[in-house]
Amino acid sequence: MIINILSIITLAILLRWISSDIMIEKIKKKHFIYCVILTMIITVAELGCSLTDNSIPENRWLSIFFNLIGFSLTPFVFLAESNFYHSEKNILYYVPPIINLMMTIASPYFGWIFFVAEDCSYHRGRFFVVYLIIFLYSVIFSLGKKLHASRNYPVYFRKRIIESGIVMFIGIMIQVVFPQYHTTWMMIAFHLVLYYALSCEMSSLMDGLTGLLNRAAFNKEMEHLKLSTKRTTVLFMIDINDFKDINDAKGHTFGDYYLKEIGKILEMVFSFNAQIFRFGGDEFSVILSMKPDDSMDYAGKLDSIIKSRQIEDADFPDVAVGYSIFEADINAWDTINLADNNMYKNKRTKENRNL
């Protein structure tokens, strides 16, 4: 009971922090709030179960009510959490939790997920394992979405997500094996607090205009950069040509629009095993991990897409691209300077071609 009360207090504080947060994106903030509120409701229901399960017969319907709330809502917590991200949503993801919801609603009559006897004694239903599988499905689904969303961030983000997920999973399994220890929602509350802290750090490394990683994230990646003998790590530096002229002629609103569009194009070109940064102003950088025999024609792909856009919009800006390969015996900042110099060579070549 004390654990439930402490968890509710923790979640209430977390809810207030999230509600007043100005750094987290609106869509992520909204679903984070949904997730915390659902967790609070379920934790209150579990507290109600602690007070009514296996008590006096007069409490039977209260016990049934609290168990209905807890078992029916549980899988939806992690589906709400998975909606933090902008990836496409598929209604099929909700089929297992809806099945669990229907089986839970039928449980007071058929004892499928849980059963409360006439003497108010609580029992797990004969299909309790279905609830458990669907619950773990929602946990794993949410963990996968978080890992996918963090794929372009420094690698330590994924390690932290996995670590907090493992701790939460242990907390869930303790209660599954030993029902008298109510560890599940305490550990889920703890997990949400940890993920909120991680989300704040992730937000601080994101460029607010383009949604790409920012210069601070680039500097962190340089500090943690590890080279592999099996893969080649390449740095691309990309600069928008004559960007000041666009701002001067058409205004900063158009300039911002083109920055966002270039960012989207870079995500199309460097879609796998790449981290894309807004390096500063009208300059971008990409750290790409590739197999040694992979094609290096990313600049050609980028030029091709931009030329297509320029057919639609004559004012769409061109870009200059330069790259260099990180080597174990060469200082990372020397590699950056080399890519930067190659980019300016490309810029001068394009300028001379247009004269």
Side-chain angles (χ1 to χ4, degrees), residues 147 150 153-163 198 201-202 204-205 216-217 220-221 223-224 275:
L147 289 172
S150 65
Y153 284 82
V155 70
Y156 67 85
F157 281 99
R158 296 189 289 282
K159 290 180 179 177
R160 291 179 184 179
I161 290 169
I162 291 170
E163 288 167 355
L198 193 63
E201 185 176 356
M202 292 173 78
S204 72
L205 298 179
K220 280 183 177 287
E221 183 60 25
E223 294 172 9
H224 296 90
Q275 293 174 286

Side-chain angles (χ1 to χ4, degrees), residues 125 137 350:
Y137 151 82
K350 289 189 172 185

Side-chain angles (χ1 to χ4, degrees), residues 16 35 46 56 61 89 110 117 129 188 190 192 216 227 236-237 255 262 268 280 291 293 300 308 327 334:
R16 188 169 69 86
C35 183
E46 186 174 66
I56 59 176
W61 283 105
K89 300 175 180 64
F110 303 106
V129 68
I188 289 174
F190 180 59
L192 290 175
L227 302 179
F236 289 83
M237 298 298 288
I262 295 293
M268 290 169 55
K291 294 178 181 177
D293 57 347
S308 297
E327 304 285 355
D334 290 337

Side-chain angles (χ1 to χ4, degrees), residues 6-21:
L6 289 174
S7 297
I8 292 167
I9 293 171
T10 300
L11 290 166
I13 294 171
L14 178 60
L15 184 62
R16 188 169 69 86
W17 286 1
I18 295 169
S19 299
S20 59
D21 196 302

Side-chain angles (χ1 to χ4, degrees), residues 31 47 127 258 327 329:
H31 288 293
L47 178 60
F127 297 126
Y258 288 130
E327 304 285 355
D329 55 345

Side-chain angles (χ1 to χ4, degrees), residues 326-345:
F326 286 102
E327 304 285 355
D329 55 345
I330 298 177
N331 183 280
W333 296 102
D334 290 337
T335 304
I336 295 169
N337 288 333
L338 177 59
D340 217 32
N341 290 335
N342 289 336
M343 179 193 71
Y344 280 107
K345 287 179 183 177

